[in-house]
Amino acid sequence: MVQLNETTFASYVQARYHQASEGPLTDFLSRRGGNLYLGDALNLNELVARYGAPLEVVYYPQITKQIRQMQAWAQEAREATGYRGKFLYTYATKANFAAEVVQTALAAGAHYETSAANDVEIAHYLWEEGLLPQARLILCNGSKEPHYLAAILNLRLAGHPNVLSILDDLEELEELRNCPLPLAFGVRERAAGNRAGNHLGNNRFGLTGAEIEDVVKQLEGSPHRLILYHAMVGTQIEDSDHFLALLHDSMIAYCQLRRKVPSLRYFDFGGGMPTSGYKLDFKFDYAAFMHRLMAQMRLVCQDYNVPMPDLIGEFGRYTVANHSLFLFEVGHVKAGQQDAPAWYLLNGSLMVSFPDMLLVEDQEFVVLPLDDWDAPVTPVRLAGRRTCDSDDLYPRPHQEPLLLPATGKGLTVAVCGAGAYQQMIAGRGGAHHCLNPEPRRVEAREVKGQLILRSQAPQSKAAIMQQLGYAPSRVAIPLPQVAHRKAS
Ligand SMILES: Cc1ncc(COP(=O)(O)O)c(C=O)c1O
């Protein structure tokens, strides 16, 4: 139990998270000399001093680190378990389509997983530009409308040998089997989707066992081949026992099918790999997970007397969640009602920058102050001052309030874990809730060992107005000057 009256933020972090206030805090955040760093390289205090807040901060080298680490853990696991199949790291681009994000993942050796027609068109373009090497797999997931099917065929007919359609529905096969060139196929197992039973939305994906049999029959004697078995069991699965237990029946189903279909060579366990991006006390032993995954697959293969498949993971959150964050300033403190915690009103919108705060029950985010770690803490809730929406708050009403330095107005906080899905759901550009403009964005990339920063101006009022059909000149009414009081 933390005694609030004499607790500083530093001692709270020590007591609650067993973390010293200096040194590494997570695998993407550290604190040195009283400054908070992203990727142990980008000084967030300096960025705020230079650009102010709100600010979006993007650190691309983190993506490279995530991918290389996972590839290394998989390699260690292969050696330790005698696993004979390969490991293929695939980036699930739906997590973040930004060109530099995708290209950073490809440069680190990732294969490409698509979720939509336009996604295949991006892959096509990157392949033509030489940025997506031809030897990399392009795995096409999701329910496929005519435009999606056409984009897959187009890529294959343009000569890409490794585009692979993972069937979500038998109807897709009707269209694709007419491809005049041999096509590679995968099947997505429907049973895997909601084996955990906790998300109705997962019930709709993939094929039943009988439908998979039908695919096998239809492909017999055709120039096309079934080479991949896909079993996605969930997302952000932080309990590795549970993750592996959920995959077990899918491994068996793979082996049973492999006995009938010798062309099968990939077992794709989909997404689900958790990210460190959301919790200060996140613990997941990735190396041990890879080891156990391979040991388990090896045993099941032995039982069924089939060769060990190449293993594919489709990494979304794990690849990108922790490479970007937002910095907000407390612009105003409002007392809570009836002994409730105070409101720290931020100069931004949480629900626009982090839509998962609303969409994912119990979603957590790491929130850290940039300064005042020696100041006493106070319980608070954050609210996005740039909307007037009662849902623009964090933590959610059923969650415990945060403890943050009591300094209040003028305090800058980092809200982490913005890199996966958030911007894809909220949209980039355009008009947002309550006309909240997108803040300045600072991107850091590494070139020959040096960090290069690029700053992109905040979204202009004119750009927002134009989206909504207002002539910018008519709404550019000069505002009276209001003095900005600095925090005392
Ligand atoms: C088919 C498929 N693969 C991979 C992913 C990525 O999942 P995650 O972000 O958990 O890695 C998703 C996410 O929805 C998905 O639907």
Side-chain angles (χ1 to χ4, degrees):
M1 189 68 187
V2 178
Q3 294 301 316
L4 281 190
N5 42 9
E6 71 258 21
T7 302
T8 64
F9 189 76
S11 54
Y12 160 65
V13 168
Q14 179 69 55
R16 167 76 175 74
Y17 298 102
H18 311 292
Q19 294 277 20
S21 56
E22 289 277 311
L25 292 164
T26 68
D27 59 4
F28 65 100
L29 278 177
S30 55
R31 196 160 178 274
R32 281 187 278 125
N35 291 331
L36 198 60
Y37 284 81
L38 180 56
D40 209 28
L42 199 53
N43 185 327
L44 299 175
N45 296 64
E46 266 178 28
L47 287 183
V48 164
R50 187 156 152 202
Y51 297 108
L55 191 66
E56 183 189 354
V57 184
V58 179
Y59 179 69
Y60 295 114
Q62 184 68 30
I63 297 172
T64 311
K65 183 178 160 201
Q66 296 290 117
I67 297 174
R68 296 244 164 97
Q69 273 185 338
M70 188 58 74
Q71 289 164 332
W73 286 321
Q75 185 52 29
E76 280 164 27
R78 285 181 73 217
E79 285 162 21
T81 57
Y83 194 81
R84 289 209 203 91
K86 296 192 192 109
F87 169 74
L88 283 72
Y89 188 109
T90 305
Y91 173 45
T93 51
K94 63 180 80 70
N96 194 325
F97 288 110
E100 183 123 12
V101 168
V102 173
Q103 285 167 37
T104 305
L106 292 175
H111 297 258
Y112 196 114
E113 190 241 343
T114 74
S115 55
N118 290 337
D119 199 1
V120 180
E121 292 192 7
I122 293 174
H124 196 144
Y125 158 81
L126 292 171
W127 168 58
E128 283 182 347
E129 291 296 304
L131 297 164
L132 170 51
Q134 178 154 303
R136 304 275 171 87
L137 297 183
I138 299 174
L139 306 181
C140 304
N141 258 310
S143 181
K144 298 172 194 69
E145 293 181 86
H147 178 191
Y148 197 171
L149 296 170
I152 293 170
L153 286 172
N154 200 22
L155 182 54
R156 179 68 190 100
L157 295 175
H160 200 295
N162 289 317
V163 56
L164 210 156
S165 184
I166 301 180
L167 298 169
D168 199 64
D169 206 296
L170 286 179
E171 245 182 35
E172 294 167 11
L173 185 55
E174 274 170 42
E175 293 297 322
L176 292 171
R177 59 187 289 189
N178 297 323
C179 178
L181 292 179
L183 254 186
F185 284 97
V187 281
R188 179 163 179 173
E189 184 196 86
R190 189 158 187 183
N194 205 16
R195 192 169 286 138
N198 58 359
H199 198 309
L200 176 68
N202 287 328
N203 269 337
R204 74 179 167 106
F205 297 107
L207 304 175
T208 62
E211 286 169 330
I212 292 174
E213 296 289 332
D214 197 345
V215 171
V216 172
K217 277 207 197 90
Q218 290 198 48
L219 292 182
E220 260 166 22
S222 83
H224 312 305
R225 282 172 318 138
L226 177 59
I227 63 173
L228 181 146
Y229 193 84
H230 181 285
M232 166 130 179
V233 292
T235 189
Q236 189 67 18
I237 311 172
E238 296 180 30
D239 175 347
S240 50
D241 289 343
H242 185 55
F243 202 160
L244 291 165
L246 289 174
L247 283 173
H248 191 71
D249 283 354
S250 302
M251 292 177 176
I252 293 174
Y254 168 86
C255 290
Q256 288 170 333
L257 192 62
R258 173 62 181 76
R259 289 172 70 92
K260 295 186 217 152
V261 184
S263 57
L264 259 192
R265 61 174 287 198
Y266 296 113
F267 179 77
D268 176 350
F269 62 90
M273 192 62 74
T275 170
S276 61
Y278 306 140
K279 285 183 192 164
L280 212 49
D281 53 358
F282 173 80
K283 296 253 176 318
F284 187 87
D285 190 339
Y286 295 107
F289 176 83
M290 293 313 285
H291 188 114
R292 291 179 62 197
L293 176 75
M294 291 188 192
Q296 183 170 319
M297 190 75 203
R298 186 171 190 242
L299 272 182
V300 179
C301 289
Q302 269 166 7
D303 283 352
Y304 284 84
N305 198 22
V306 300
M308 293 174 235
D310 293 343
L311 292 173
I312 296 179
E314 298 170 351
F315 300 85
R317 281 181 210 284
Y318 168 84
T319 313
V320 289
N322 58 12
H323 88 288
S324 79
L325 51 79
F326 280 83
L327 302 173
F328 298 111
E329 188 177 323
V330 179
H332 185 59
V333 179
K334 201 158 178 178
Q337 290 196 49
Q338 291 150 5
D339 300 328
W343 291 101
Y344 271 13
L345 303 186
L346 304 179
N347 61 353
S349 166
L350 294 163
M351 66 191 288
V352 172
S353 302
F354 294 90
D356 272 356
M357 273 181 195
L358 300 186
L359 297 174
V360 181
E361 209 188 344
D362 290 327
Q363 179 67 54
E364 291 177 48
F365 289 94
V366 175
V367 180
L368 288 174
L370 259 52
D371 294 302
D372 298 335
W373 283 49
D374 293 331
V377 286
T378 187
V380 296
R381 289 193 195 277
L382 307 177
R385 197 183 189 188
R386 291 195 175 165
T387 74
C388 60
D389 197 305
S390 54
D391 271 317
D392 204 336
L393 84 160
Y394 182 78
R396 309 298 304 157
H398 66 279
Q399 294 170 325
E400 287 289 301
L402 296 174
L403 291 183
L404 283 177
T407 27
K409 184 168 172 163
L411 183 75
T412 303
V413 291
V415 187
C416 308
Y421 300 111
Q422 305 314 292
Q423 211 153 56
M424 300 299 105
I425 297 171
R428 188 152 158 196
H432 296 289
H433 196 24
C434 293
L435 306 182
N436 172 56
E438 292 177 4
R440 179 177 294 283
R441 177 182 165 90
V442 175
E443 302 178 344
R445 62 181 58 80
E446 204 174 83
V447 181
K448 294 185 184 139
Q450 287 241 309
L451 266 197
I452 309 290
L453 295 192
R454 191 175 78 121
S455 155
Q456 203 177 309
Q459 192 183 27
S460 71
K461 182 168 72 176
I464 299 171
M465 295 304 180
Q466 218 150 12
Q467 280 289 330
L468 297 172
Y470 295 100
S473 56
R474 298 297 307 278
V475 287
I477 300 163
L479 300 175
Q481 287 301 309
V482 179
H484 286 281
R485 266 162 296 151
K486 201 60 206 141
S488 53

Short mmCIF file of all heavy atoms in Angstrom, two decimals, residues 90-95 113-115 141-142 166 188 202 205 230 232 234-237 268-274 278 313-320 420-421, ligand 1:
data_model
loop_
_atom_site.label_atom_id
_atom_site.label_comp_id
_atom_site.label_asym_id
_atom_site.label_seq_id
_atom_site.Cartn_x
_atom_site.Cartn_y
_atom_site.Cartn_z
N THR A 90 6.67 -12.19 -40.13
CA THR A 90 5.84 -11.43 -41.06
C THR A 90 5.28 -10.21 -40.35
O THR A 90 4.87 -10.32 -39.20
CB THR A 90 4.67 -12.33 -41.55
OG1 THR A 90 5.23 -13.52 -42.09
CG2 THR A 90 3.85 -11.65 -42.62
N TYR A 91 5.32 -9.07 -41.03
CA TYR A 91 4.73 -7.87 -40.43
C TYR A 91 3.27 -7.75 -40.88
O TYR A 91 2.98 -7.73 -42.08
CB TYR A 91 5.52 -6.61 -40.84
CG TYR A 91 4.85 -5.32 -40.38
CD1 TYR A 91 4.34 -5.21 -39.08
CD2 TYR A 91 4.70 -4.24 -41.24
CE1 TYR A 91 3.69 -4.06 -38.65
CE2 TYR A 91 4.06 -3.08 -40.82
CZ TYR A 91 3.55 -3.00 -39.53
OH TYR A 91 2.91 -1.87 -39.11
N ALA A 92 2.35 -7.69 -39.89
CA ALA A 92 0.93 -7.50 -40.18
C ALA A 92 0.72 -6.00 -40.39
O ALA A 92 0.57 -5.24 -39.43
CB ALA A 92 0.09 -8.01 -39.02
N THR A 93 0.73 -5.58 -41.65
CA THR A 93 0.76 -4.15 -41.96
C THR A 93 -0.47 -3.40 -41.47
O THR A 93 -0.43 -2.18 -41.34
CB THR A 93 0.90 -3.92 -43.48
OG1 THR A 93 -0.12 -4.70 -44.13
CG2 THR A 93 2.26 -4.34 -43.98
N LYS A 94 -1.56 -4.13 -41.17
CA LYS A 94 -2.77 -3.43 -40.70
C LYS A 94 -2.49 -2.66 -39.42
O LYS A 94 -3.19 -1.70 -39.11
CB LYS A 94 -3.93 -4.41 -40.49
CG LYS A 94 -3.68 -5.45 -39.41
CD LYS A 94 -4.85 -6.38 -39.25
CE LYS A 94 -4.91 -7.47 -40.28
NZ LYS A 94 -3.88 -8.51 -40.21
N ALA A 95 -1.47 -3.06 -38.69
CA ALA A 95 -1.16 -2.36 -37.43
C ALA A 95 -0.70 -0.92 -37.69
O ALA A 95 -0.94 -0.04 -36.86
CB ALA A 95 -0.10 -3.13 -36.65
N GLU A 113 2.23 -9.27 -44.57
CA GLU A 113 0.87 -9.83 -44.47
C GLU A 113 -0.15 -8.75 -44.77
O GLU A 113 -0.12 -7.67 -44.18
CB GLU A 113 0.61 -10.37 -43.05
CG GLU A 113 -0.69 -11.16 -42.97
CD GLU A 113 -1.73 -10.60 -42.02
OE1 GLU A 113 -1.38 -9.76 -41.16
OE2 GLU A 113 -2.91 -10.97 -42.14
N THR A 114 -1.05 -9.02 -45.72
CA THR A 114 -2.02 -8.00 -46.12
C THR A 114 -3.39 -8.31 -45.51
O THR A 114 -3.72 -9.45 -45.20
CB THR A 114 -2.20 -7.93 -47.65
OG1 THR A 114 -2.97 -9.07 -48.10
CG2 THR A 114 -0.87 -7.91 -48.38
N SER A 115 -4.19 -7.24 -45.43
CA SER A 115 -5.54 -7.39 -44.89
C SER A 115 -6.60 -6.80 -45.81
O SER A 115 -7.78 -6.86 -45.50
CB SER A 115 -5.63 -6.68 -43.54
OG SER A 115 -5.24 -5.34 -43.70
N ASN A 141 -4.64 -12.14 -46.12
CA ASN A 141 -5.64 -12.60 -45.17
C ASN A 141 -6.92 -11.81 -45.27
O ASN A 141 -6.98 -10.79 -45.95
CB ASN A 141 -5.08 -12.43 -43.75
CG ASN A 141 -4.58 -13.74 -43.18
OD1 ASN A 141 -5.29 -14.73 -43.23
ND2 ASN A 141 -3.38 -13.74 -42.65
N GLY A 142 -7.94 -12.25 -44.55
CA GLY A 142 -9.19 -11.50 -44.48
C GLY A 142 -10.19 -11.95 -45.52
O GLY A 142 -9.87 -12.71 -46.45
N ILE A 166 -4.70 -16.63 -48.46
CA ILE A 166 -5.16 -17.46 -47.34
C ILE A 166 -6.69 -17.41 -47.35
O ILE A 166 -7.29 -16.36 -47.09
CB ILE A 166 -4.58 -16.97 -46.00
CG1 ILE A 166 -3.04 -17.02 -46.07
CG2 ILE A 166 -5.12 -17.81 -44.85
CD1 ILE A 166 -2.33 -16.57 -44.82
N ARG A 188 -7.39 -20.76 -43.62
CA ARG A 188 -7.46 -20.26 -42.24
C ARG A 188 -8.44 -21.13 -41.46
O ARG A 188 -9.58 -21.33 -41.90
CB ARG A 188 -7.92 -18.80 -42.24
CG ARG A 188 -8.04 -18.25 -40.84
CD ARG A 188 -8.09 -16.75 -40.82
NE ARG A 188 -8.22 -16.25 -39.47
CZ ARG A 188 -8.15 -14.97 -39.15
NH1 ARG A 188 -7.92 -14.08 -40.10
NH2 ARG A 188 -8.29 -14.59 -37.91
N ASN A 202 -14.29 -12.91 -33.38
CA ASN A 202 -13.37 -13.88 -33.99
C ASN A 202 -14.09 -15.08 -34.60
O ASN A 202 -13.47 -15.90 -35.27
CB ASN A 202 -12.37 -14.38 -32.94
CG ASN A 202 -11.36 -13.31 -32.60
OD1 ASN A 202 -11.00 -12.51 -33.45
ND2 ASN A 202 -10.91 -13.29 -31.36
N PHE A 205 -14.08 -15.70 -38.85
CA PHE A 205 -12.96 -15.89 -39.78
C PHE A 205 -12.71 -17.35 -40.09
O PHE A 205 -12.82 -18.22 -39.22
CB PHE A 205 -11.68 -15.28 -39.19
CG PHE A 205 -11.78 -13.80 -39.00
CD1 PHE A 205 -11.90 -13.25 -37.74
CD2 PHE A 205 -11.78 -12.95 -40.09
CE1 PHE A 205 -12.02 -11.88 -37.56
CE2 PHE A 205 -11.89 -11.58 -39.93
CZ PHE A 205 -12.02 -11.05 -38.66
N HIS A 230 -3.27 -21.73 -41.46
CA HIS A 230 -3.26 -20.52 -40.63
C HIS A 230 -4.19 -20.72 -39.43
O HIS A 230 -5.34 -21.11 -39.59
CB HIS A 230 -3.73 -19.35 -41.48
CG HIS A 230 -3.76 -18.03 -40.79
ND1 HIS A 230 -4.71 -17.70 -39.87
CD2 HIS A 230 -2.95 -16.96 -40.90
CE1 HIS A 230 -4.48 -16.47 -39.44
NE2 HIS A 230 -3.42 -16.00 -40.05
N MET A 232 -5.11 -18.39 -36.16
CA MET A 232 -4.92 -17.20 -35.30
C MET A 232 -5.83 -17.33 -34.09
O MET A 232 -7.03 -17.49 -34.22
CB MET A 232 -5.24 -15.95 -36.11
CG MET A 232 -5.39 -14.72 -35.27
SD MET A 232 -4.44 -13.33 -35.86
CE MET A 232 -4.93 -12.10 -34.65
N GLY A 234 -5.84 -15.12 -31.22
CA GLY A 234 -6.17 -13.92 -30.44
C GLY A 234 -5.12 -12.85 -30.60
O GLY A 234 -4.24 -12.94 -31.45
N THR A 235 -5.22 -11.82 -29.75
CA THR A 235 -4.25 -10.73 -29.81
C THR A 235 -3.80 -10.37 -28.40
O THR A 235 -4.54 -10.60 -27.43
CB THR A 235 -4.85 -9.51 -30.56
OG1 THR A 235 -3.83 -8.54 -30.80
CG2 THR A 235 -6.00 -8.86 -29.80
N GLN A 236 -2.60 -9.84 -28.28
CA GLN A 236 -2.02 -9.44 -26.98
C GLN A 236 -2.25 -10.55 -25.93
O GLN A 236 -2.84 -10.32 -24.88
CB GLN A 236 -2.63 -8.10 -26.53
CG GLN A 236 -1.97 -7.46 -25.30
CD GLN A 236 -0.53 -7.00 -25.53
OE1 GLN A 236 -0.09 -6.85 -26.66
NE2 GLN A 236 0.20 -6.78 -24.48
N ILE A 237 -1.73 -11.74 -26.23
CA ILE A 237 -1.92 -12.88 -25.30
C ILE A 237 -0.69 -12.92 -24.39
O ILE A 237 0.39 -13.34 -24.80
CB ILE A 237 -2.08 -14.20 -26.07
CG1 ILE A 237 -3.13 -14.03 -27.18
CG2 ILE A 237 -2.49 -15.32 -25.12
CD1 ILE A 237 -3.23 -15.20 -28.12
N ASP A 268 1.17 -21.28 -39.78
CA ASP A 268 1.15 -19.84 -39.51
C ASP A 268 0.30 -19.61 -38.26
O ASP A 268 -0.91 -19.85 -38.28
CB ASP A 268 0.54 -19.15 -40.75
CG ASP A 268 0.35 -17.66 -40.59
OD1 ASP A 268 0.51 -17.15 -39.47
OD2 ASP A 268 0.01 -17.01 -41.60
N PHE A 269 0.96 -19.18 -37.17
CA PHE A 269 0.21 -19.02 -35.92
C PHE A 269 -0.36 -17.62 -35.74
O PHE A 269 -0.85 -17.25 -34.67
CB PHE A 269 1.04 -19.46 -34.70
CG PHE A 269 2.31 -18.67 -34.45
CD1 PHE A 269 2.31 -17.55 -33.65
CD2 PHE A 269 3.51 -19.08 -35.03
CE1 PHE A 269 3.48 -16.83 -33.40
CE2 PHE A 269 4.68 -18.37 -34.79
CZ PHE A 269 4.67 -17.25 -33.99
N GLY A 270 -0.33 -16.84 -36.83
CA GLY A 270 -1.04 -15.56 -36.85
C GLY A 270 -0.44 -14.52 -35.92
O GLY A 270 0.76 -14.53 -35.62
N GLY A 271 -1.32 -13.62 -35.44
CA GLY A 271 -0.87 -12.56 -34.52
C GLY A 271 -0.99 -13.04 -33.09
O GLY A 271 -1.01 -14.23 -32.82
N GLY A 272 -1.05 -12.10 -32.18
CA GLY A 272 -1.24 -12.45 -30.77
C GLY A 272 -0.03 -12.20 -29.90
O GLY A 272 -0.15 -12.14 -28.68
N MET A 273 1.14 -12.07 -30.55
CA MET A 273 2.34 -11.84 -29.74
C MET A 273 2.19 -10.52 -28.99
O MET A 273 1.92 -9.49 -29.60
CB MET A 273 3.57 -11.80 -30.65
CG MET A 273 4.87 -11.85 -29.92
SD MET A 273 5.09 -13.38 -28.97
CE MET A 273 5.44 -14.57 -30.25
N PRO A 274 2.34 -10.54 -27.67
CA PRO A 274 2.05 -9.31 -26.91
C PRO A 274 3.17 -8.28 -27.05
O PRO A 274 4.31 -8.61 -27.33
CB PRO A 274 1.96 -9.83 -25.48
CG PRO A 274 2.83 -11.03 -25.45
CD PRO A 274 2.73 -11.66 -26.81
N TYR A 278 2.18 -1.38 -23.37
CA TYR A 278 1.02 -0.90 -22.64
C TYR A 278 1.15 -0.91 -21.12
O TYR A 278 0.27 -0.40 -20.43
CB TYR A 278 -0.21 -1.74 -23.01
CG TYR A 278 -0.51 -1.82 -24.49
CD1 TYR A 278 -0.92 -3.02 -25.06
CD2 TYR A 278 -0.41 -0.70 -25.31
CE1 TYR A 278 -1.21 -3.10 -26.42
CE2 TYR A 278 -0.69 -0.78 -26.66
CZ TYR A 278 -1.09 -1.98 -27.21
OH TYR A 278 -1.38 -2.07 -28.54
N GLY A 313 4.92 -16.27 -38.01
CA GLY A 313 4.16 -15.42 -37.09
C GLY A 313 3.84 -14.13 -37.81
O GLY A 313 4.66 -13.62 -38.57
N GLU A 314 2.63 -13.64 -37.59
CA GLU A 314 2.22 -12.36 -38.21
C GLU A 314 2.18 -11.32 -37.09
O GLU A 314 1.23 -11.28 -36.33
CB GLU A 314 0.85 -12.52 -38.86
CG GLU A 314 0.84 -13.55 -39.98
CD GLU A 314 -0.58 -13.89 -40.45
OE1 GLU A 314 -1.55 -13.44 -39.81
OE2 GLU A 314 -0.70 -14.61 -41.44
N PHE A 315 3.20 -10.52 -37.01
CA PHE A 315 3.38 -9.66 -35.84
C PHE A 315 2.90 -8.23 -36.14
O PHE A 315 3.50 -7.52 -36.95
CB PHE A 315 4.86 -9.62 -35.45
CG PHE A 315 5.43 -10.96 -35.09
CD1 PHE A 315 5.92 -11.82 -36.07
CD2 PHE A 315 5.46 -11.39 -33.77
CE1 PHE A 315 6.45 -13.06 -35.74
CE2 PHE A 315 5.99 -12.63 -33.43
CZ PHE A 315 6.49 -13.46 -34.41
N GLY A 316 1.81 -7.86 -35.47
CA GLY A 316 1.29 -6.49 -35.62
C GLY A 316 1.72 -5.64 -34.45
O GLY A 316 2.73 -4.94 -34.50
N ARG A 317 0.96 -5.74 -33.34
CA ARG A 317 1.28 -4.95 -32.14
C ARG A 317 2.74 -5.08 -31.73
O ARG A 317 3.39 -4.09 -31.40
CB ARG A 317 0.47 -5.46 -30.95
CG ARG A 317 -0.93 -5.00 -30.92
CD ARG A 317 -1.66 -5.54 -29.70
NE ARG A 317 -3.06 -5.70 -30.00
CZ ARG A 317 -3.93 -4.69 -30.08
NH1 ARG A 317 -3.56 -3.46 -29.84
NH2 ARG A 317 -5.19 -4.91 -30.40
N TYR A 318 3.23 -6.32 -31.71
CA TYR A 318 4.59 -6.55 -31.24
C TYR A 318 5.58 -5.72 -32.07
O TYR A 318 6.54 -5.17 -31.54
CB TYR A 318 4.94 -8.04 -31.32
CG TYR A 318 6.41 -8.29 -31.11
CD1 TYR A 318 6.95 -8.39 -29.83
CD2 TYR A 318 7.28 -8.35 -32.21
CE1 TYR A 318 8.32 -8.56 -29.65
CE2 TYR A 318 8.64 -8.52 -32.04
CZ TYR A 318 9.15 -8.61 -30.76
OH TYR A 318 10.51 -8.76 -30.58
N THR A 319 5.32 -5.61 -33.38
CA THR A 319 6.28 -4.91 -34.24
C THR A 319 6.28 -3.41 -33.97
O THR A 319 7.34 -2.79 -33.91
CB THR A 319 5.94 -5.14 -35.74
OG1 THR A 319 5.69 -6.52 -35.98
CG2 THR A 319 7.05 -4.65 -36.65
N VAL A 320 5.09 -2.83 -33.81
CA VAL A 320 5.03 -1.36 -33.88
C VAL A 320 4.44 -0.61 -32.69
O VAL A 320 4.58 0.62 -32.61
CB VAL A 320 4.29 -0.90 -35.17
CG1 VAL A 320 5.13 -1.17 -36.40
CG2 VAL A 320 2.92 -1.54 -35.31
N ALA A 420 0.62 1.01 -32.78
CA ALA A 420 -0.14 -0.03 -33.47
C ALA A 420 -1.63 0.28 -33.45
O ALA A 420 -2.20 0.54 -32.38
CB ALA A 420 0.09 -1.40 -32.81
N TYR A 421 -2.23 0.27 -34.58
CA TYR A 421 -3.68 0.39 -34.80
C TYR A 421 -4.27 1.78 -34.49
O TYR A 421 -5.21 2.20 -35.17
CB TYR A 421 -4.47 -0.67 -33.98
CG TYR A 421 -4.09 -2.09 -34.34
CD1 TYR A 421 -3.40 -2.89 -33.44
CD2 TYR A 421 -4.39 -2.63 -35.59
CE1 TYR A 421 -3.03 -4.19 -33.77
CE2 TYR A 421 -4.01 -3.93 -35.93
CZ TYR A 421 -3.33 -4.70 -35.01
OH TYR A 421 -2.95 -5.98 -35.35
C1 LIG B 1 -4.97 -12.40 -39.62
C2 LIG B 1 -4.24 -11.53 -38.68
N1 LIG B 1 -2.90 -11.68 -38.53
C3 LIG B 1 -2.19 -10.90 -37.68
C4 LIG B 1 -2.79 -9.90 -36.95
C5 LIG B 1 -1.96 -9.06 -36.04
O1 LIG B 1 -2.26 -9.33 -34.74
P1 LIG B 1 -1.41 -8.71 -33.56
O2 LIG B 1 -1.52 -7.24 -33.65
O3 LIG B 1 -1.99 -9.31 -32.33
O4 LIG B 1 0.01 -9.16 -33.76
C6 LIG B 1 -4.19 -9.71 -37.06
C7 LIG B 1 -4.84 -8.67 -36.25
O5 LIG B 1 -6.02 -8.46 -36.25
C8 LIG B 1 -4.92 -10.54 -37.94
O6 LIG B 1 -6.25 -10.39 -38.09
#
